[in-house]
Amino acid sequence: MNSNTLTNENLLWIERLKFNDRGIIPAIAQDYRDNTVLMMAWMNRESIQRTLETGEVHYWSRSRAELWHKGATSGHIQKVKQLFYDCDRDTILIKIEQVGDIACHMGARSCFFNFVPIYPR
C-alpha cells in the first residue's frame, strides 16, 4: 500500500461507504494474527486515504477535529494487513499488526477489557 498504487479507480469503494452526517464512519481495529478486537475509532475519507497511502492507520479524532496517526506519539502504530467494509457499507474493519501490542490509550492491549457479567435468567 503506497501512493503509487492508489488510483481514482481503486478508491471508488470509499465513495460507496455510508458516512454519517458528520462525514465519519466507525472503524474496528482487529489483530490480524489472533482476531482480538483491539479498538474502535472513527475515520473520514481523508483518514482512509492516508491509511492506504502509508500502510499505517490514521483515524479522525472527534474531540480534536483532526487527523490522528495512531501511535505517532506512543510508538504503538498500527500496520494495515487487510481492510474490509461490512455488508451495509457503514462500518470498516481493519486487520492490523499492532506494534508494541498496546492499542488502548489506557495502556492495555485492547480497549475492550471491561467485563460485564451476564447471569442466566
Side-chain angles (χ1 to χ4, degrees):
M1 290 184 203
N2 61 52
S3 57
N4 295 334
T5 62
L6 297 180
T7 65
N8 287 338
E9 186 175 314
N10 67 15
L11 292 177
L12 286 177
W13 65 272
I14 296 172
E15 296 308 314
R16 292 188 208 109
L17 293 175
K18 295 180 183 174
F19 294 89
N20 71 14
D21 58 353
R22 295 172 71 185
I24 56 179
I25 188 169
I28 300 165
Q30 182 179 40
D31 188 294
Y32 82 102
R33 293 167 300 179
D34 65 10
N35 293 322
T36 299
V37 175
L38 300 175
M39 59 177 282
M40 179 275 185
W42 296 91
M43 297 181 93
N44 62 8
R45 284 173 180 80
E46 185 180 0
S47 65
I48 294 169
Q49 289 176 337
R50 185 78 54 91
T51 295
L52 295 171
E53 290 167 356
T54 65
E56 295 179 356
V57 184
H58 291 71
Y59 296 106
W60 176 254
S61 171
R62 294 177 301 161
S63 61
R64 296 187 309 268
E66 65 184 19
L67 284 181
W68 157 41
H69 178 200
K70 177 65 176 166
T73 56
S74 69
H76 299 145
I77 62 171
Q78 296 178 340
K79 295 182 180 181
V80 177
K81 295 296 184 179
Q82 296 176 311
L83 196 144
F84 302 86
Y85 56 90
D86 73 335
C87 56
D88 293 324
R89 300 185 325 265
D90 62 3
T91 304
I92 293 173
L93 173 66
I94 310 166
K95 295 235 180 181
I96 60 151
E97 175 187 348
Q98 179 65 59
V99 174
D101 208 31
I102 296 174
C104 181
H105 73 282
M106 302 290 290
R109 177 172 191 242
S110 170
C111 293
F112 296 94
F113 57 81
N114 292 297
F115 176 74
V116 177
I118 304 293
Y119 300 100
R121 295 179 194 216

